[in-house]
Amino acid sequence: MDRQTAEKRIAELRRTIEHHNRLYYQQDAPSISDAEYDRLMRELQELEALYPDDHLASSPTQRVGAPPLAKFAPFVHPSAMLSLSNAFTDQDIVEFDERLRRLVKTDVISYIAEPKLDGLAVNLIYEKGRLIRGATRGDGTTGEDVTANLKTISDVPLTLNSNLSRIPDLLEVRGEVYMKTGPFETLNRRRVESEEEPFANPRNAAAGSLRQLDSRITARRPLNACFYAVAQALGCAFSTHWEALAALKSWGFPVNELVDKAGSIVACIDYYHRLSDLRKDLPYEIDGVVLKVNDLSLQEQIGSVSRSPRWAIACKFPAAKAETIVTDIVVQVGRTGILTPVAIMQPVSLSGVIVSRATLHNEDEIRKKDIRIGDTVVIQRAGDVIPEVVEVDPSKRSGAEKTFFMPLHCPQCGSDVVRLEGEVAHRCVNLSCPAQLKEHLRHFASRGAMDIEGLGAKMTARLFDENLIADPADLYYLTEKQLLALDRQAEKSVRNLLDSIHRSKNPPLDKFIFALGIRHVGERTARILASTFGTFDHLSKATSDELIRIREIGPEIAASIVEFFREPKNVIVLEKFQKAGVIPKSLKQAPASAPLAGESFVFTGTLSSMGRSDAKAAVEKAGGSVLSSVSSKTTFVVAGDDPGSKLDKARALGISILSEEEFIKRIHGVDP
Ligand code: IVH
């Protein structure tokens, strides 16, 4: 093929593939098979490899995803990603405006009102108009580098349009990655069909899809993105947020079409109510509106407090409510043997998501609200919490409703159910109750714990029922042969499952601790334990006294941890983990790929973009350490404004001195 023919074919393939992307993602109406699509994509990839051109950076081939990563690299945000303070009522909004007007001594403030999309925040960095990095928010200072995943989302520009505004050398933009409700329902339906765990809501689906180590999976998920802030645009000056949004649009970023100017707080409140009404008809979930002071110099004057800007506020909508009928009350047995009653309801749409189950918490709660089988109830769902029954409408009773009683025997294993003194919960007393063991296994593999892709509730239960696993360590002894013997297990999915189990062998210490399911040890406690003890070995040898000395840990948690490591059954499981090579990462040892591994920093003077503790956290996250005084072992001294004698000492010792800007580049792994 000559170059000219190739170029024509390349252009044609790009157009065709983009057309099919639109059909697949936006209209949910693919007109060709996956195999046909893959063939077009491969042809384009091959031609592009032979005949590279200037438009390669924005070609659909750049969005197919890359081979899986072992883990996400930490990404320190050049400017911290703040969060917003909340308003819940009109009065809160009025007070917000009054506070600001007092502060800047003015009569009226103009705002920009925006819908608050319910997805996850991302930060994108463009250099000379090209997307170079993208990350999740994380803790606001450091997120996860999900560049390969973000590139698969068609709303994320790979290169910027330059026809209208000038392109800044460096651009940092903020936006939200989200999933529309229609595609979310379809995705969940497909997941249920293929025996995968459905997502609880579009936000979780978006987060779960974006945080895939294999970006080729992200590429097949219907994700959208929209953008709402310019954090940095070197060489571009805007005087209002409105102008910044206009620039975003001209560079090719989608900006939500409902964003509007509001000349006063009255207009803001009006907008808030308008969107609250519109909400149920929108094709995506919003959980409020965000008000931002339009004038950027005014924003600067108003400033920020702790982690949120004072010039913006999130006005939250009240929880979405709907009416439905309770058709049954079933009992679920959890990992610790707690029996939870769950209402099964006629499916009803709650802000765009179909809901058919709601937790009833415990028997007391059912009595208090007097919920009976057959009752008409109001349910609500706020944020990503599980839907719950708010109240019963007794006027709709026919008399045929049935009162619910907690079973006397565990519905799963038939053992006695007891209610311990002082507890609201009923428990199954059998420690080897299969329901508990299954829950324990599910918890181990779940997203917040070991995060083993493809190993949801159904799969863990199945492996357990087939006697392939009895405890979580058994997962690491599964063989291809055993799995292939399970019916309907295709070779490819068996291999994927074994791969993801294998990949989970070096979990972060806190995730491993959490995954073990030690009673009273949730995610937060697990993090505290990990950072206090640094290694799993140290934790396993901790005494009750040592544990109680940790601020957040009381005698009950301490006893439960000590008990866990003493229990002979657990000792055996832990040994099995070790033999299988499941070794959690020690915390103090940053991975060698961390940009600052092995480097030590000393700060002097004031940094303008972050406080000392943020700077320290950023260094540590990137694998370096921070010392308080300069010695010959120090690798870098960071000099902020008004540096002290440490700078002189650094000079005397010939230690590299970094400006704030150079420091920020370092923590990003860029050599200045
Ligand atoms: S502005 C300093 N605008 O809400 C500005 N945030 O707590 C901070 N969000 O993490 C964000 N829509 O994920 C802003 N139009 C919007 C937004 C928005 C959704 C999310 C974002 C952020 C959280 C704020």
Side-chain angles (χ1 to χ4, degrees):
M1 193 183 290
D2 62 36
R3 173 166 280 277
Q4 207 182 359
T5 324
E7 278 170 3
K8 247 173 87 189
R9 179 67 183 149
I10 287 175
E12 182 183 36
L13 282 165
R14 285 177 184 160
R15 267 197 314 274
T16 313
I17 292 174
E18 265 151 16
H19 167 72
H20 290 299
N21 282 348
R22 274 192 299 276
L23 290 180
Y24 184 92
Y25 292 113
Q26 285 165 31
Q27 293 156 30
D28 198 24
S31 66
I32 55 170
S33 69
D34 283 7
E36 177 69 1
Y37 178 88
D38 290 345
R39 202 189 58 70
L40 293 173
M41 190 61 94
R42 259 196 315 278
E43 186 187 346
L44 179 57
Q45 280 165 332
E46 279 159 18
L47 285 175
E48 282 178 349
L50 292 172
Y51 306 96
D53 68 3
D54 289 349
H55 304 291
L56 186 61
S58 53
S59 164
T61 54
Q62 306 305 301
R63 298 194 187 272
V64 292
L69 303 169
K71 69 188 276 288
F72 294 119
F75 178 83
V76 181
H77 301 295
S79 21
M81 289 182 81
L82 304 179
S83 57
L84 295 171
S85 40
N86 292 325
F88 297 96
T89 61
D90 291 2
Q91 183 60 25
D92 291 346
I93 302 175
V94 169
E95 282 168 16
F96 158 75
D97 178 61
E98 282 172 356
R99 215 163 38 239
L100 297 195
R101 284 190 292 111
R102 261 200 312 276
L103 201 71
V104 294
K105 302 195 176 58
T106 167
D107 290 339
V108 191
I109 296 180
S110 273
Y111 296 94
I112 300 301
E114 307 176 358
K116 185 169 184 299
L117 265 68
D118 204 7
L120 73 156
V122 292
N123 193 21
L124 304 182
I125 315 284
Y126 289 80
E127 256 177 28
K128 299 202 180 355
R130 270 176 192 233
L131 173 63
I132 57 149
R133 242 16 131 74
T136 59
R137 177 175 184 277
D139 61 7
T141 312
T142 312
E144 288 174 322
D145 183 334
V146 288
T147 312
N149 307 48
L150 284 164
K151 282 187 176 170
T152 69
I153 304 174
S154 63
D155 282 342
V156 171
L158 301 173
T159 55
L160 303 183
N161 289 339
S162 57
N163 34 358
L164 293 167
S165 327
R166 145 192 157 74
I167 289 183
D169 285 345
L170 182 74
L171 176 69
E172 184 180 359
V173 297
R174 303 279 155 84
E176 195 84 352
V177 168
Y178 64 101
M179 197 178 283
K180 292 186 180 172
T181 34
F184 162 76
E185 300 282 354
T186 312
L187 173 66
N188 260 359
R189 216 172 30 247
R190 291 202 184 118
R191 282 176 77 86
V192 170
E193 276 160 19
S194 58
E195 296 201 355
E196 283 173 287
E197 193 84 350
F199 290 103
N201 52 50
R203 188 234 294 242
N204 287 4
S209 301
L210 187 66
R211 298 186 59 253
Q212 289 287 335
L213 288 169
D214 188 342
S215 48
R216 291 167 302 193
I217 299 178
T218 312
R220 302 304 277 168
R221 297 276 172 85
L223 291 173
N224 282 86
C226 96
F227 294 84
Y228 51 68
V230 175
Q232 230 193 121
L234 272 192
C236 295
F238 308 114
S239 55
T240 61
H241 178 54
W242 189 252
E243 278 177 18
L245 291 176
L248 279 178
K249 275 188 237 174
S250 74
W251 288 321
F253 293 95
V255 171
N256 188 286
E257 73 275 17
L258 297 170
V259 172
D260 207 355
K261 280 183 174 164
S264 69
I265 204 66
V266 176
C268 291
I269 293 175
D270 185 55
Y271 181 89
Y272 172 64
H273 289 284
R274 220 161 1 106
L275 259 70
S276 180
D277 291 341
L278 196 63
R279 178 185 189 194
K280 58 181 184 319
D281 303 321
L282 292 176
Y284 44 80
E285 288 209 326
I286 62 175
D287 59 343
V289 306
V290 181
L291 304 179
K292 298 172 182 172
V293 168
N294 189 23
D295 186 320
L296 296 184
S297 58
L298 211 52
Q299 280 190 6
E300 201 168 327
Q301 201 184 332
I302 295 168
S304 302
V305 276
S306 66
R307 314 289 307 149
S308 359
R310 271 195 292 198
W311 45 261
I313 197 159
C315 313
K316 294 293 192 72
F317 293 138
K321 292 187 180 162
E323 204 181 80
T324 180
I325 294 172
V326 175
T327 54
D328 198 4
I329 296 180
V330 298
V331 171
Q332 274 179 353
V333 186
R335 167 166 64 88
T336 54
I338 291 182
L339 269 53
T340 307
V342 176
I344 307 296
M345 304 167 304
Q346 279 181 5
V348 61
S349 164
L350 203 52
S351 63
V353 176
I354 309 288
V355 173
S356 60
R357 294 163 80 88
T359 176
L360 299 173
H361 303 289
N362 52 59
E363 201 182 32
D364 287 2
E365 192 68 17
I366 298 180
R367 292 285 166 272
K368 203 165 76 196
K369 293 180 180 157
D370 190 18
I371 304 164
R372 304 178 198 173
I373 299 166
D375 266 342
T376 300
V377 293
V378 175
I379 59 168
Q380 72 172 21
R381 191 171 69 92
D384 58 358
V385 300
I386 310 163
E388 58 175 5
V389 173
V390 188
E391 58 183 8
V392 172
D393 183 349
S395 72
K396 299 219 168 118
R397 282 194 176 143
S398 69
E401 293 73 21
K402 281 200 270 199
T403 306
F404 166 83
F405 294 101
M406 214 46 159
L408 300 173
H409 301 286
C410 170
Q412 297 291 329
C413 72
S415 303
D416 287 349
V417 166
V418 296
R419 181 171 175 170
L420 299 180
E421 216 172 287
E423 279 195 10
V424 285
H426 286 72
R427 285 178 196 276
C428 162
V429 293
N430 175 11
L431 282 177
S432 359
C433 166
Q436 286 184 46
L437 296 177
K438 279 185 209 171
E439 257 310 288
H440 182 58
L441 291 163
R442 184 202 59 77
H443 167 80
F444 180 82
S446 69
R447 262 176 240 139
M450 298 291 276
D451 195 13
I452 306 179
E453 176 72 25
L455 198 55
K458 287 230 172 83
M459 194 61 188
T460 43
R462 187 138 167 238
L463 295 172
F464 179 87
D465 290 337
E466 301 277 348
N467 290 323
L468 292 180
I469 55 171
D471 64 53
D474 288 339
L475 287 170
Y476 298 91
Y477 295 87
L478 288 171
T479 64
E480 195 164 318
K481 199 167 147 214
Q482 282 175 321
L483 292 176
L484 281 173
L486 293 181
D487 52 341
R488 290 200 293 138
Q489 281 299 311
E491 214 165 300
K492 186 161 174 228
S493 57
V494 163
R495 210 156 306 126
N496 285 345
L497 181 59
L498 286 173
D499 273 356
S500 52
I501 294 176
H502 183 77
R503 273 204 306 273
S504 73
K505 279 189 176 180
N506 285 118
L509 181 55
D510 58 327
K511 302 277 184 208
F512 185 66
I513 298 171
F514 174 60
L516 291 176
I518 306 171
R519 209 186 240 182
H520 305 305
V521 178
E523 277 181 291
R524 195 180 130 73
T525 308
R527 272 201 297 275
I528 294 168
L529 291 171
S531 63
T532 312
F533 291 96
T535 69
F536 189 68
D537 194 43
H538 285 150
L539 171 67
S540 68
K541 295 191 180 116
T543 63
S544 177
D545 282 350
E546 282 171 321
L547 288 161
I548 293 171
R549 256 181 266 137
I550 304 170
R551 192 144 50 102
E552 286 89 341
I553 292 185
E556 204 184 356
I557 307 182
S560 150
I561 296 168
V562 172
E563 179 57 32
F564 179 88
F565 286 105
R566 209 182 280 154
E567 165 61 45
K569 278 190 196 152
N570 293 340
V571 173
I572 294 173
V573 175
L574 293 176
E575 271 168 12
K576 276 162 67 181
F577 274 130
Q578 207 171 15
K579 279 214 190 90
V582 180
I583 306 193
K585 281 194 265 293
S586 305
L587 264 206
K588 306 225 158 89
Q589 230 177 291
S593 63
L596 302 182
E599 317 272 33
S600 64
F601 285 73
V602 172
F603 291 98
T604 176
T606 321
L607 299 180
S608 62
S609 64
M610 59 178 105
R612 268 290 165 89
S613 57
D614 284 347
K616 181 164 186 266
V619 170
E620 286 170 354
K621 285 246 167 75
S625 58
V626 174
L627 305 171
S628 55
S629 60
V630 180
S631 76
S632 58
K633 295 206 185 85
T634 313
T635 348
F636 295 109
V637 167
V638 181
D641 279 349
D642 218 2
S645 62
K646 288 180 201 167
L647 183 59
D648 303 327
K649 188 161 176 200
R651 285 205 180 106
L653 291 173
I655 289 163
S656 309
I657 296 163
L658 301 180
S659 66
E660 179 168 351
E661 220 172 287
E662 289 164 334
F663 166 65
I664 290 173
K665 285 194 179 149
R666 285 267 169 192
I667 45 188
H668 281 99
V670 181
D671 270 327

